[in-house]
Amino acid sequence: MRSGVAVFEWATGLIGLSLLRFVENVRRIGAFSLITLGVAVTKALVAHRVMLPAAQQQLARAGVRLLPIIAFIGVAVGLVIVGQTLSLLAQVGQVALTGQLLVTVIIREVAPFVAAMVVLARVGTATVVELGTARALGEVETLEALGIDPIHFLVVPRVVGLTCSVAALTVYLTVITLASGWIFAVLADLPYPLSEYLGHIAGALQWHDFVLVGAKTVTFGAVSALTVCYHGLARPIRLEEVSLATTRTVAHCVVAFGLIDGFFLILTLLFL
Amino acid sequence: MSVEHLIELIAADVAPGLAREISVNDVSWTVNRGDWWVLAGPPNSGKSALLMTLGILNPAARGELRLFGQAVTQSMGDELTSIRRRIGMLFEDGGHLFDQSTVLENVALPLRYHHNLSLADAVERVMPFLEACGIAAFAAQNTRGVGRANRRRVALARALALQPELLLIDNPVAGLDPSQIRWWRGFLSQLNAGHPVLENRPVTLVLATDDLRPWLPLARQFALVRDRKLQALGGREELESKHGDLLAELLSEEHR
């Protein structure tokens, strides 16, 4: 009996501690985000000849360079999910549901999440290492000594780059997924003309889908970028702690993506 | 003619960034325009932390810091940036260069940022500093490929690019060969007297070192850190007459 109480206390203590840690992390990342927003607004026109190329560099790194892997994932998702869905719907004579199904699953949910995860995995983790190493080696102090705001110089371009990249890659992934799904249908000899396929999707799309996907991708991108920069930069760090910061960042971002997804799902269910 | 105080540190306790333990206690120190101070002391005695405090990178745990006649607090925002731009800072260990960039990009960065210049526009302004520091030949080279001695010169050129009035230098010649030490001694002397690259305007120097010997004939003021105290402040004569034993200890081979 006593051991049962002890286990209960241990479990509730663990849950409470995790909850407190979670709240504290949200508070810190929130404060860091507000500081970054303040710097981005107040210094929007400062040193634009330095900052614009820096933002373009981040866009190339988090966006353009990920096009091949996003294309590969798009083809895979298209063949596996869309193609099989089309095949199944055709078998039961429900191809008219294609549009609603693809809009709900692919456009609203899968594409934004997958694009955000790929950017996090390929660029986010590298950015934590890069910023954490820069912090550990004193580059941040050097910037401060040179009168350069580290948030402006290091964080703002990355937030812009990652946010725009997640949004753009989501569109790219959606197009490739839907296209490869239809190609699968053609290869499987399904009687589903392209015009009908596109018509079903266009018919299921509503204005709020564009707003929802836009808001979701921007939130995914901004939250992951700010979390990445926070873990790499905001706290004093030693070189041996960089790898730990990287794994912590991935965990925090995945939880954040889940919460953001849930938030938008509730919004959709309540208002649409 | 009145003497202009560039640095006034009043009853300050200084601790390294991540540590809680105070490394130098109760420091009161005034640096005037045109001075050349050498801050000497054993390794890990708190010299770097003190320099970081003077460079507004490490707030004092207690006390007051005034730079260029202005009281410094961390909440000053743009005022803090404008004060920092008047101070050049050279860190130990290769000068903390940005290793993803070339020598030219490293030196041009502060100038580009503060004057909103493209790299092409900054080149003309930066080259005199590279030439003065003898690193123009490496301009297009990534700093990863530059040797330790020249990395320090790159950091020096970068600090000079904003034409600072005060230069804080941390152990610039540690581990360098005699010819490099000669170069640094000569160049810093020129900077303090007025170097053409800075339009002959004298730069006030504060140099921290473990090894006092290269600087004893050159610097005009000396501060010695030992036992968490700034133990001696003054010219060489004062140092030799009042703190001869401490000076002898810091000049001895066993000290290093």
Side-chain angles (χ1 to χ4, degrees):
Chain A
M1 186 66 187
R2 194 176 285 169
S3 66
V5 172
V7 168
F8 177 75
E9 280 177 355
W10 173 79
T12 50
L14 195 67
I15 293 167
L17 194 65
S18 305
L19 204 63
L20 283 176
R21 275 193 195 142
F22 173 77
V23 171
E24 180 59 14
N25 276 319
V26 169
R27 188 188 69 78
R28 285 182 178 184
I29 295 171
F32 181 73
S33 306
L34 285 177
I35 292 168
T36 304
L37 182 67
V39 170
V41 171
T42 55
K43 297 193 173 173
L45 299 176
V46 173
H48 65 266
R49 288 205 175 95
V50 179
M51 301 310 295
L52 269 180
Q56 284 169 348
Q57 196 183 352
Q58 292 303 321
L59 267 173
R61 184 185 184 205
V64 178
R65 282 188 208 160
L66 296 191
L67 287 177
I69 182 78
I70 287 286
F72 175 78
I73 293 171
V75 170
V77 173
L79 295 180
V80 174
I81 297 179
V82 180
Q84 292 196 62
T85 303
L86 293 182
S87 174
L88 202 66
L89 289 174
Q91 283 173 26
V92 296
Q94 293 292 338
V95 283
L97 290 176
T98 303
Q100 194 56 53
L101 210 58
L102 293 184
V103 167
T104 306
V105 176
I106 300 296
I107 297 177
R108 276 194 211 157
E109 300 298 337
V110 173
F113 185 77
V114 170
M117 284 300 291
V118 172
V119 171
L120 172 67
R122 287 292 297 267
V123 182
T125 50
T127 303
V128 183
V129 173
E130 184 183 76
L131 293 179
T133 308
R135 170 102 206 203
L137 294 179
E139 285 183 20
V140 175
E141 283 160 355
T142 306
L143 287 174
E144 285 177 343
L146 295 170
I148 297 172
D149 185 339
I151 299 281
H152 186 224
F153 186 72
L154 295 174
V155 177
V156 173
R158 285 171 171 80
V159 171
V160 170
L162 262 72
T163 305
C164 295
S165 296
V166 171
L169 290 176
T170 299
V171 175
Y172 185 66
L173 180 68
T174 304
V175 170
I176 290 186
T177 303
L178 296 178
S180 57
W182 181 78
I183 290 168
F184 177 87
V186 170
L187 294 175
D189 284 335
L190 296 180
Y192 202 11
L194 181 62
S195 57
E196 195 181 339
Y197 176 66
L198 293 178
H200 282 150
I201 294 170
L205 271 174
Q206 295 179 43
W207 66 267
H208 56 70
D209 288 314
F210 293 97
V211 176
L212 189 74
V213 171
K216 194 188 265 189
T217 53
V218 167
T219 313
F220 275 161
V223 167
S224 60
L226 287 163
T227 308
V228 158
C229 292
Y230 168 78
H231 282 293
L233 206 62
R235 291 192 294 182
I237 195 169
R238 288 191 292 268
L239 264 184
E240 59 269 27
E241 294 169 336
V242 172
S243 57
L244 196 66
T246 310
T247 50
R248 202 184 300 132
T249 303
V250 173
H252 286 182
C253 282
V254 171
V255 171
F257 291 164
L259 292 175
I260 293 165
D261 237 346
F263 171 74
F264 279 105
L265 183 64
I266 291 169
L267 273 188
T268 313
L269 294 174
L270 285 179
F271 299 108
L272 302 175
Chain B
M1 199 174 111
S2 65
V3 178
E4 191 186 345
H5 300 326
L6 294 198
I7 300 173
E8 291 170 273
L9 197 57
I10 303 157
D13 288 349
V14 172
L18 293 176
R20 288 183 183 173
E21 197 181 344
I22 302 297
S23 49
V24 192
N25 277 317
D26 200 24
V27 184
S28 290
W29 186 15
T30 302
V31 174
N32 297 319
R33 186 177 290 281
D35 282 357
W36 180 350
W37 282 88
V38 165
L39 178 62
N44 304 315
S45 57
K47 303 182 299 295
S48 299
L50 191 50
L51 271 196
M52 298 278 270
T53 299
L54 300 181
I56 338 176
L57 297 170
N58 179 30
R62 185 182 69 88
E64 188 186 350
L65 172 65
R66 298 178 70 83
L67 290 168
F68 306 103
Q70 216 174 337
V72 173
T73 62
Q74 288 299 314
S75 57
M76 290 169 74
D78 288 343
E79 283 175 331
L80 201 64
T81 304
S82 65
I83 292 176
R84 278 185 173 139
R85 285 176 59 179
R86 298 170 74 179
I87 303 171
M89 178 100 197
L90 252 84
F91 296 91
E92 210 179 354
D93 302 331
H96 296 182
L97 302 179
F98 305 113
D99 281 339
Q100 67 278 20
S101 308
T102 64
V103 166
L104 181 69
E105 286 164 349
N106 263 275
V107 178
L109 177 65
L111 208 59
R112 291 183 61 207
Y113 186 86
H114 292 297
H115 298 281
N116 192 24
L117 299 173
S118 66
L119 185 60
D121 293 336
V123 170
E124 200 180 324
R125 292 209 210 177
V126 163
M127 283 314 286
F129 294 101
L130 296 181
E131 282 159 10
C133 294
I135 48 171
F138 311 113
Q141 198 172 322
N142 191 290
T143 50
R144 275 196 205 100
V146 175
R148 188 169 65 162
N150 284 324
R151 285 177 70 86
R152 292 183 190 182
R153 293 195 192 192
V154 175
L156 176 64
R158 186 177 62 186
L160 293 177
L162 285 175
Q163 312 211 354
E165 295 164 50
L166 169 67
L167 200 54
L168 307 173
I169 313 164
D170 197 359
N171 239 346
V173 298
L176 296 187
D177 62 45
S179 67
Q180 290 287 344
I181 294 174
R182 263 199 306 280
W183 182 88
W184 276 90
R185 282 163 45 100
F187 193 78
L188 292 183
S189 297
Q190 276 186 296
L191 279 180
N192 187 239
H195 193 287
V197 79
L198 294 176
E199 294 155 355
N200 298 313
R201 187 171 39 76
V203 178
T204 306
L205 303 177
V206 178
L207 184 149
T209 183
D210 299 338
D211 185 358
L212 197 50
R213 289 173 304 173
W215 311 108
L216 202 57
L218 296 174
R220 285 195 296 278
Q221 292 89 9
F222 298 90
L224 305 182
V225 181
R226 197 176 66 166
D227 300 332
R228 298 183 180 183
K229 292 281 180 192
L230 208 64
Q231 290 209 349
L233 299 172
R236 185 175 174 179
E237 292 76 21
E238 191 184 351
L239 201 66
E240 285 171 341
S241 61
K242 292 185 182 171
H243 304 280
D245 53 338
L246 178 56
L247 185 62
E249 187 186 327
L250 285 167
L251 289 173
S252 68
E253 281 297 331
E254 293 78 26
H255 159 67
R256 281 171 291 282

